[in-house]
Amino acid sequence: MNIMDFICKCCRSIKCRSYNNIYMPFLRLQLRSCGSDVIIASGSRIAGFDHIDIGNHVYIGPGAVLYSTIAYLKIGSYINFGSNVTIITGDHRIDFVGEYMKELKETDKLPENDKDVIIEDDVWIGTGAIILKGVTIGEGSVIAAGAVVTKDVPPYTIYISPQRDKQRFTDAEIVNHKQLLKEKYGE
């Protein structure tokens, strides 16, 4: 059991207040960068802290799995994750002849085995979604519950699967939406 798992387990046994007051501040310090108003719900598993950037006003639901050991995971601002969302920035080699895949090391990887995942601002990711290496999720997008994302998602897209996605707003609505956000939040 690593130190993060130990602290999380202790905080769960002492209940939620300790989680927010002890674990969350410690977790923030482990990340490469972490903005304000970030909540990572209990039961989440993170590997590669020093390769993860999180913006402001982010909620990561319970049971999230964030693995980013070589490539980077960049999570923008105003993001909501449902429960049990998985993001993995890497992959394993499966083309080694004469070697068990389990025995391969990080040093055996090729550059294409690990690629950054970028989640732009104002994104909602539904429960159980899986986001794999090399994906950029555009601003204002919605990822459906249970979706498996293996390709870039354009801004303001509702993504269900590679064959089923649609625009969230018209071009005129996007302009109006951005203007209203700027007026309301000054960002």
Side-chain angles (χ1 to χ4, degrees), residues 11-86:
C11 288
R12 275 194 303 250
S13 68
I14 302 170
K15 297 300 178 203
C16 186
R17 181 175 290 230
S18 295
Y19 181 85
N20 292 331
N21 294 330
I22 297 170
Y23 181 73
M24 278 302 301
F26 182 73
L27 179 63
R28 287 173 195 267
L29 294 173
Q30 303 303 307
L31 296 166
R32 180 175 151 179
S33 68
C34 185
S36 63
D37 188 29
V38 172
I39 297 170
I40 300 174
S42 65
S44 296
R45 310 262 317 156
I46 300 172
F49 290 95
D50 57 340
H51 286 86
I52 299 174
D53 296 306
I54 301 177
N56 299 310
H57 314 291
V58 175
Y59 175 77
I60 298 175
V65 174
L66 308 177
Y67 288 167
S68 187
T69 56
I70 294 176
Y72 288 90
L73 170 56
K74 297 172 181 152
I75 299 171
S77 295
Y78 296 98
I79 309 287
N80 278 321
F81 282 48
S83 59
N84 302 309
V85 170
T86 298

Side-chain angles (χ1 to χ4, degrees), residues 88-107:
I88 301 175
T89 64
D91 204 347
H92 299 282
R93 290 197 58 184
I94 58 172
D95 62 345
F96 247 81
V97 176
E99 189 69 62
Y100 289 111
M101 288 183 284
K102 183 183 179 313
E103 298 303 317
L104 297 175
K105 309 288 185 250
E106 292 289 323
T107 55

Side-chain angles (χ1 to χ4, degrees), residues 126-137:
T127 297
I130 299 171
I131 301 166
L132 299 177
K133 70 176 183 179
V135 168
T136 296
I137 298 176

Side-chain angles (χ1 to χ4, degrees), residues 140-157:
S141 292
V142 176
I143 306 301
V148 178
V149 185
T150 59
K151 68 172 191 153
D152 289 350
V153 176
Y156 296 98
T157 297

